[in-house]
Amino acid sequence: MLKSLIAAVALSLACALPALAQVADLPPPGAGRAAYAPFEHLVGKSWRGTGTVQAGVEDVQRWDWAVGGHAVRVVHSVNGGAYAGETLIFRDRDSGAYVFHYFTSGGFHSTGVMRPTGPGAFEVEETVHGLDGFPPLRSTIVMGPDGVNRARSFQQEGGQWVEKGGFDYREDASAVPVLPALTPPT
């Protein structure tokens, strides 16, 4: 058992060496924050959103730096933790695009790309994994001059992008996402 564990660790290290050799080409720790300037107005803040379609639906988000400033982490919960998720946003070195991975308490995840379209504005393309037949999503996020961050989602239906709703977020320092507790297996 110990021999196979040591062999696995050695193989893992051998496979990682080519990638580790490229670390010298990366910017120094903390230098990544400049690459995330489009997110500056969101990071380090909590936001409380009200649903635009269904009354009484609330989404709380917290935006923070991750990986020493080389990524952005968003934790959110809907209606006090009935549903929650975490997103990591990372700037792809080759394309310069902001790619993200979203993990949910609903047993599915999504991947996508965020593109800045102006000050405080983004377009988002997202693919959902783990929900059979779920169509691709597009979203817009726009910070208005009134300080309201408006997020709208669209799904493709009959070749057209149809708005499905969204949230209007206002900064709220007291807002804290509630993550559901892990239920141990029985």
Side-chain angles (χ1 to χ4, degrees), residues 28-47 61-75 86-91 98 122:
R33 286 190 184 188
Y36 294 90
F39 299 94
E40 284 288 335
H41 67 287
L42 299 166
V43 176
K45 298 177 182 175
S46 294
W47 301 84
Q61 298 182 346
R62 175 68 192 179
W63 291 66
D64 287 302
W65 293 113
V67 195
H70 293 281
V72 174
R73 176 180 181 234
V74 183
V75 177
E86 295 190 32
T87 302
L88 280 177
I89 304 166
F90 182 79
R91 187 149 192 201
Y98 295 99
F122 300 91

Short mmCIF file of all heavy atoms in Angstrom, two decimals, residues 28-47 61-75 86-91 98 122:
data_model
loop_
_atom_site.label_atom_id
_atom_site.label_comp_id
_atom_site.label_asym_id
_atom_site.label_seq_id
_atom_site.Cartn_x
_atom_site.Cartn_y
_atom_site.Cartn_z
N PRO A 28 4.65 38.12 -10.68
CA PRO A 28 4.84 37.89 -9.25
C PRO A 28 3.50 37.85 -8.51
O PRO A 28 2.51 38.41 -8.99
CB PRO A 28 5.69 39.07 -8.79
CG PRO A 28 5.51 40.10 -9.84
CD PRO A 28 5.21 39.39 -11.11
N PRO A 29 3.44 37.21 -7.32
CA PRO A 29 2.19 37.14 -6.56
C PRO A 29 1.61 38.54 -6.33
O PRO A 29 2.34 39.49 -6.04
CB PRO A 29 2.62 36.50 -5.23
CG PRO A 29 3.86 35.74 -5.58
CD PRO A 29 4.54 36.52 -6.67
N GLY A 30 0.29 38.64 -6.48
CA GLY A 30 -0.39 39.92 -6.26
C GLY A 30 -0.47 40.78 -7.50
O GLY A 30 -1.29 41.67 -7.57
N ALA A 31 0.39 40.52 -8.50
CA ALA A 31 0.38 41.35 -9.71
C ALA A 31 -0.87 41.10 -10.55
O ALA A 31 -1.19 41.88 -11.43
CB ALA A 31 1.63 41.07 -10.55
N GLY A 32 -1.59 40.02 -10.25
CA GLY A 32 -2.77 39.67 -11.03
C GLY A 32 -3.94 40.61 -10.85
O GLY A 32 -4.80 40.68 -11.70
N ARG A 33 -3.99 41.34 -9.76
CA ARG A 33 -5.16 42.18 -9.50
C ARG A 33 -5.40 43.22 -10.59
O ARG A 33 -6.54 43.54 -10.89
CB ARG A 33 -5.04 42.86 -8.15
CG ARG A 33 -5.26 41.90 -7.02
CD ARG A 33 -5.38 42.62 -5.71
NE ARG A 33 -5.52 41.63 -4.65
CZ ARG A 33 -5.79 41.93 -3.42
NH1 ARG A 33 -5.93 43.18 -3.05
NH2 ARG A 33 -5.89 40.99 -2.51
N ALA A 34 -4.36 43.73 -11.19
CA ALA A 34 -4.53 44.73 -12.25
C ALA A 34 -5.32 44.14 -13.42
O ALA A 34 -6.06 44.86 -14.09
CB ALA A 34 -3.17 45.24 -12.72
N ALA A 35 -5.18 42.83 -13.65
CA ALA A 35 -5.89 42.17 -14.74
C ALA A 35 -7.40 42.08 -14.47
O ALA A 35 -8.17 41.82 -15.38
CB ALA A 35 -5.33 40.78 -14.98
N TYR A 36 -7.79 42.33 -13.22
CA TYR A 36 -9.20 42.20 -12.84
C TYR A 36 -9.87 43.56 -12.61
O TYR A 36 -10.88 43.66 -11.92
CB TYR A 36 -9.32 41.31 -11.59
CG TYR A 36 -8.90 39.90 -11.90
CD1 TYR A 36 -7.58 39.49 -11.74
CD2 TYR A 36 -9.81 38.98 -12.41
CE1 TYR A 36 -7.19 38.21 -12.05
CE2 TYR A 36 -9.42 37.69 -12.72
CZ TYR A 36 -8.11 37.32 -12.54
OH TYR A 36 -7.72 36.05 -12.87
N ALA A 37 -9.33 44.60 -13.20
CA ALA A 37 -9.88 45.95 -13.05
C ALA A 37 -11.38 46.02 -13.35
O ALA A 37 -12.11 46.75 -12.66
CB ALA A 37 -9.10 46.94 -13.91
N PRO A 38 -11.92 45.27 -14.35
CA PRO A 38 -13.36 45.35 -14.60
C PRO A 38 -14.24 44.91 -13.42
O PRO A 38 -15.41 45.21 -13.38
CB PRO A 38 -13.57 44.42 -15.80
CG PRO A 38 -12.25 44.39 -16.49
CD PRO A 38 -11.24 44.47 -15.38
N PHE A 39 -13.64 44.20 -12.45
CA PHE A 39 -14.40 43.68 -11.31
C PHE A 39 -14.21 44.52 -10.05
O PHE A 39 -14.82 44.22 -9.02
CB PHE A 39 -13.98 42.23 -11.01
CG PHE A 39 -14.25 41.29 -12.15
CD1 PHE A 39 -13.25 41.01 -13.06
CD2 PHE A 39 -15.49 40.70 -12.30
CE1 PHE A 39 -13.48 40.14 -14.12
CE2 PHE A 39 -15.74 39.84 -13.36
CZ PHE A 39 -14.74 39.56 -14.27
N GLU A 40 -13.36 45.54 -10.10
CA GLU A 40 -13.02 46.32 -8.91
C GLU A 40 -14.24 46.85 -8.16
O GLU A 40 -14.23 46.93 -6.94
CB GLU A 40 -12.10 47.50 -9.27
CG GLU A 40 -10.68 47.10 -9.53
CD GLU A 40 -9.91 46.70 -8.26
OE1 GLU A 40 -10.25 47.14 -7.16
OE2 GLU A 40 -8.95 45.95 -8.42
N HIS A 41 -15.29 47.23 -8.88
CA HIS A 41 -16.47 47.80 -8.22
C HIS A 41 -17.29 46.76 -7.47
O HIS A 41 -18.18 47.10 -6.70
CB HIS A 41 -17.34 48.54 -9.25
CG HIS A 41 -17.97 47.64 -10.27
ND1 HIS A 41 -17.25 47.04 -11.29
CD2 HIS A 41 -19.25 47.24 -10.42
CE1 HIS A 41 -18.07 46.31 -12.02
NE2 HIS A 41 -19.28 46.41 -11.52
N LEU A 42 -16.99 45.48 -7.67
CA LEU A 42 -17.74 44.40 -7.02
C LEU A 42 -16.95 43.73 -5.89
O LEU A 42 -17.53 43.34 -4.88
CB LEU A 42 -18.11 43.33 -8.06
CG LEU A 42 -18.99 43.79 -9.22
CD1 LEU A 42 -19.00 42.77 -10.33
CD2 LEU A 42 -20.39 44.07 -8.72
N VAL A 43 -15.64 43.59 -6.08
CA VAL A 43 -14.80 42.82 -5.17
C VAL A 43 -14.68 43.50 -3.80
O VAL A 43 -14.54 44.71 -3.71
CB VAL A 43 -13.40 42.59 -5.79
CG1 VAL A 43 -12.48 41.89 -4.81
CG2 VAL A 43 -13.52 41.77 -7.06
N GLY A 44 -14.75 42.66 -2.76
CA GLY A 44 -14.66 43.16 -1.39
C GLY A 44 -15.98 43.65 -0.85
O GLY A 44 -16.03 44.27 0.21
N LYS A 45 -17.06 43.35 -1.57
CA LYS A 45 -18.39 43.85 -1.18
C LYS A 45 -19.42 42.73 -1.17
O LYS A 45 -19.27 41.72 -1.85
CB LYS A 45 -18.85 44.94 -2.16
CG LYS A 45 -17.94 46.15 -2.18
CD LYS A 45 -18.38 47.15 -3.21
CE LYS A 45 -17.40 48.33 -3.24
NZ LYS A 45 -17.74 49.25 -4.31
N SER A 46 -20.47 42.97 -0.41
CA SER A 46 -21.64 42.08 -0.40
C SER A 46 -22.78 42.80 -1.10
O SER A 46 -22.92 44.02 -1.00
CB SER A 46 -22.05 41.74 1.03
OG SER A 46 -21.05 40.97 1.65
N TRP A 47 -23.61 42.00 -1.79
CA TRP A 47 -24.70 42.54 -2.59
C TRP A 47 -25.97 41.75 -2.29
O TRP A 47 -25.95 40.54 -2.22
CB TRP A 47 -24.37 42.44 -4.08
CG TRP A 47 -23.12 43.18 -4.44
CD1 TRP A 47 -21.83 42.73 -4.34
CD2 TRP A 47 -23.04 44.50 -4.92
NE1 TRP A 47 -20.96 43.70 -4.74
CE2 TRP A 47 -21.67 44.81 -5.11
CE3 TRP A 47 -23.99 45.48 -5.23
CZ2 TRP A 47 -21.24 46.04 -5.58
CZ3 TRP A 47 -23.55 46.70 -5.71
CH2 TRP A 47 -22.19 46.97 -5.87
N GLN A 61 -24.88 37.91 -2.52
CA GLN A 61 -23.57 37.59 -3.09
C GLN A 61 -22.46 38.27 -2.29
O GLN A 61 -22.63 39.39 -1.82
CB GLN A 61 -23.44 38.10 -4.52
CG GLN A 61 -24.39 37.52 -5.50
CD GLN A 61 -24.15 38.08 -6.90
OE1 GLN A 61 -23.45 39.08 -7.09
NE2 GLN A 61 -24.73 37.43 -7.88
N ARG A 62 -21.33 37.58 -2.20
CA ARG A 62 -20.12 38.17 -1.63
C ARG A 62 -19.00 37.95 -2.63
O ARG A 62 -18.72 36.83 -3.02
CB ARG A 62 -19.77 37.50 -0.28
CG ARG A 62 -18.46 37.96 0.33
CD ARG A 62 -18.51 39.39 0.79
NE ARG A 62 -17.14 39.85 1.09
CZ ARG A 62 -16.84 41.04 1.48
NH1 ARG A 62 -17.79 41.94 1.65
NH2 ARG A 62 -15.60 41.38 1.71
N TRP A 63 -18.36 39.05 -3.06
CA TRP A 63 -17.27 39.02 -4.02
C TRP A 63 -15.95 39.26 -3.29
O TRP A 63 -15.84 40.24 -2.54
CB TRP A 63 -17.46 40.11 -5.07
CG TRP A 63 -18.60 39.88 -6.02
CD1 TRP A 63 -19.92 39.86 -5.70
CD2 TRP A 63 -18.51 39.66 -7.42
NE1 TRP A 63 -20.66 39.63 -6.83
CE2 TRP A 63 -19.82 39.51 -7.91
CE3 TRP A 63 -17.45 39.58 -8.31
CZ2 TRP A 63 -20.09 39.28 -9.24
CZ3 TRP A 63 -17.72 39.35 -9.65
CH2 TRP A 63 -19.03 39.19 -10.10
N ASP A 64 -14.95 38.40 -3.51
CA ASP A 64 -13.65 38.54 -2.86
C ASP A 64 -12.54 38.10 -3.81
O ASP A 64 -12.78 37.38 -4.79
CB ASP A 64 -13.57 37.69 -1.58
CG ASP A 64 -14.39 38.27 -0.46
OD1 ASP A 64 -14.13 39.43 -0.08
OD2 ASP A 64 -15.30 37.57 0.05
N TRP A 65 -11.32 38.52 -3.47
CA TRP A 65 -10.15 38.04 -4.18
C TRP A 65 -9.93 36.58 -3.83
O TRP A 65 -10.25 36.15 -2.73
CB TRP A 65 -8.91 38.85 -3.81
CG TRP A 65 -8.97 40.26 -4.28
CD1 TRP A 65 -9.05 41.37 -3.49
CD2 TRP A 65 -8.97 40.72 -5.62
NE1 TRP A 65 -9.10 42.49 -4.28
CE2 TRP A 65 -9.05 42.11 -5.60
CE3 TRP A 65 -8.91 40.08 -6.86
CZ2 TRP A 65 -9.07 42.88 -6.75
CZ3 TRP A 65 -8.94 40.85 -8.00
CH2 TRP A 65 -9.01 42.23 -7.95
N ALA A 66 -9.36 35.83 -4.75
CA ALA A 66 -8.98 34.43 -4.52
C ALA A 66 -7.59 34.22 -5.11
O ALA A 66 -7.14 35.01 -5.94
CB ALA A 66 -9.99 33.49 -5.17
N VAL A 67 -6.94 33.19 -4.69
CA VAL A 67 -5.63 32.80 -5.20
C VAL A 67 -4.67 33.99 -5.19
O VAL A 67 -3.99 34.28 -6.17
CB VAL A 67 -5.73 32.18 -6.62
CG1 VAL A 67 -4.45 31.45 -7.00
CG2 VAL A 67 -6.91 31.22 -6.74
N GLY A 68 -4.66 34.70 -4.07
CA GLY A 68 -3.72 35.81 -3.90
C GLY A 68 -3.90 36.93 -4.91
O GLY A 68 -2.94 37.60 -5.27
N GLY A 69 -5.11 37.16 -5.36
CA GLY A 69 -5.37 38.23 -6.32
C GLY A 69 -5.30 37.80 -7.77
O GLY A 69 -5.41 38.63 -8.67
N HIS A 70 -5.14 36.51 -8.02
CA HIS A 70 -5.07 35.99 -9.39
C HIS A 70 -6.41 35.42 -9.85
O HIS A 70 -6.49 34.81 -10.91
CB HIS A 70 -3.98 34.93 -9.51
CG HIS A 70 -2.61 35.50 -9.34
ND1 HIS A 70 -1.95 36.16 -10.35
CD2 HIS A 70 -1.79 35.54 -8.27
CE1 HIS A 70 -0.76 36.56 -9.92
NE2 HIS A 70 -0.65 36.21 -8.66
N ALA A 71 -7.45 35.59 -9.06
CA ALA A 71 -8.79 35.13 -9.41
C ALA A 71 -9.77 35.88 -8.53
O ALA A 71 -9.39 36.54 -7.56
CB ALA A 71 -8.92 33.62 -9.20
N VAL A 72 -11.05 35.78 -8.87
CA VAL A 72 -12.12 36.37 -8.08
C VAL A 72 -13.06 35.24 -7.67
O VAL A 72 -13.36 34.35 -8.47
CB VAL A 72 -12.90 37.44 -8.89
CG1 VAL A 72 -14.12 37.94 -8.13
CG2 VAL A 72 -11.98 38.60 -9.26
N ARG A 73 -13.50 35.29 -6.42
CA ARG A 73 -14.42 34.27 -5.89
C ARG A 73 -15.73 34.95 -5.54
O ARG A 73 -15.74 35.99 -4.87
CB ARG A 73 -13.82 33.63 -4.65
CG ARG A 73 -14.73 32.63 -3.98
CD ARG A 73 -14.03 32.05 -2.75
NE ARG A 73 -14.85 31.07 -2.09
CZ ARG A 73 -15.17 31.13 -0.81
NH1 ARG A 73 -14.71 32.09 -0.04
NH2 ARG A 73 -15.92 30.20 -0.28
N VAL A 74 -16.83 34.35 -5.97
CA VAL A 74 -18.16 34.84 -5.63
C VAL A 74 -18.91 33.70 -4.94
O VAL A 74 -19.02 32.60 -5.48
CB VAL A 74 -18.95 35.27 -6.89
CG1 VAL A 74 -20.30 35.85 -6.49
CG2 VAL A 74 -18.15 36.24 -7.74
N VAL A 75 -19.38 33.97 -3.73
CA VAL A 75 -20.21 33.02 -3.00
C VAL A 75 -21.60 33.63 -2.93
O VAL A 75 -21.75 34.82 -2.68
CB VAL A 75 -19.66 32.78 -1.57
CG1 VAL A 75 -20.56 31.84 -0.79
CG2 VAL A 75 -18.24 32.23 -1.64
N GLU A 86 -20.80 28.64 -5.54
CA GLU A 86 -19.54 29.37 -5.53
C GLU A 86 -18.99 29.42 -6.95
O GLU A 86 -19.04 28.43 -7.68
CB GLU A 86 -18.52 28.69 -4.63
CG GLU A 86 -18.92 28.71 -3.17
CD GLU A 86 -17.82 28.26 -2.24
OE1 GLU A 86 -16.63 28.50 -2.55
OE2 GLU A 86 -18.15 27.69 -1.20
N THR A 87 -18.45 30.57 -7.30
CA THR A 87 -17.88 30.80 -8.62
C THR A 87 -16.43 31.23 -8.47
O THR A 87 -16.13 32.05 -7.61
CB THR A 87 -18.65 31.90 -9.37
OG1 THR A 87 -20.03 31.53 -9.47
CG2 THR A 87 -18.08 32.14 -10.77
N LEU A 88 -15.57 30.69 -9.31
CA LEU A 88 -14.20 31.19 -9.42
C LEU A 88 -14.04 31.75 -10.82
O LEU A 88 -14.35 31.08 -11.81
CB LEU A 88 -13.18 30.08 -9.19
CG LEU A 88 -12.93 29.73 -7.73
CD1 LEU A 88 -11.96 28.56 -7.63
CD2 LEU A 88 -12.38 30.92 -6.97
N ILE A 89 -13.59 33.01 -10.90
CA ILE A 89 -13.37 33.69 -12.18
C ILE A 89 -11.87 33.86 -12.34
O ILE A 89 -11.19 34.35 -11.45
CB ILE A 89 -14.05 35.08 -12.18
CG1 ILE A 89 -15.54 34.94 -11.87
CG2 ILE A 89 -13.82 35.78 -13.52
CD1 ILE A 89 -16.22 36.25 -11.52
N PHE A 90 -11.38 33.46 -13.50
CA PHE A 90 -9.93 33.45 -13.75
C PHE A 90 -9.67 34.02 -15.14
O PHE A 90 -10.39 33.69 -16.09
CB PHE A 90 -9.42 32.01 -13.66
CG PHE A 90 -7.94 31.88 -13.86
CD1 PHE A 90 -7.07 32.17 -12.83
CD2 PHE A 90 -7.43 31.47 -15.07
CE1 PHE A 90 -5.70 32.05 -13.00
CE2 PHE A 90 -6.06 31.34 -15.26
CZ PHE A 90 -5.19 31.63 -14.22
N ARG A 91 -8.67 34.86 -15.26
CA ARG A 91 -8.33 35.41 -16.58
C ARG A 91 -7.43 34.42 -17.31
O ARG A 91 -6.32 34.12 -16.86
CB ARG A 91 -7.63 36.75 -16.45
CG ARG A 91 -7.44 37.38 -17.82
CD ARG A 91 -7.49 38.86 -17.75
NE ARG A 91 -7.58 39.41 -19.08
CZ ARG A 91 -7.25 40.64 -19.36
NH1 ARG A 91 -6.83 41.44 -18.40
NH2 ARG A 91 -7.36 41.09 -20.58
N TYR A 98 -12.12 36.18 -19.42
CA TYR A 98 -12.41 35.82 -18.04
C TYR A 98 -13.26 34.55 -18.06
O TYR A 98 -14.43 34.59 -18.43
CB TYR A 98 -13.15 36.95 -17.32
CG TYR A 98 -12.31 38.19 -17.18
CD1 TYR A 98 -12.45 39.24 -18.08
CD2 TYR A 98 -11.34 38.28 -16.18
CE1 TYR A 98 -11.66 40.38 -17.96
CE2 TYR A 98 -10.55 39.41 -16.06
CZ TYR A 98 -10.72 40.45 -16.96
OH TYR A 98 -9.93 41.57 -16.84
N PHE A 122 -20.88 43.60 -18.27
CA PHE A 122 -20.37 42.33 -18.80
C PHE A 122 -21.43 41.63 -19.61
O PHE A 122 -22.63 41.79 -19.36
CB PHE A 122 -20.00 41.38 -17.64
CG PHE A 122 -18.96 41.89 -16.72
CD1 PHE A 122 -19.30 42.60 -15.59
CD2 PHE A 122 -17.61 41.64 -16.97
CE1 PHE A 122 -18.34 43.07 -14.73
CE2 PHE A 122 -16.65 42.10 -16.11
CZ PHE A 122 -17.00 42.82 -14.98
#
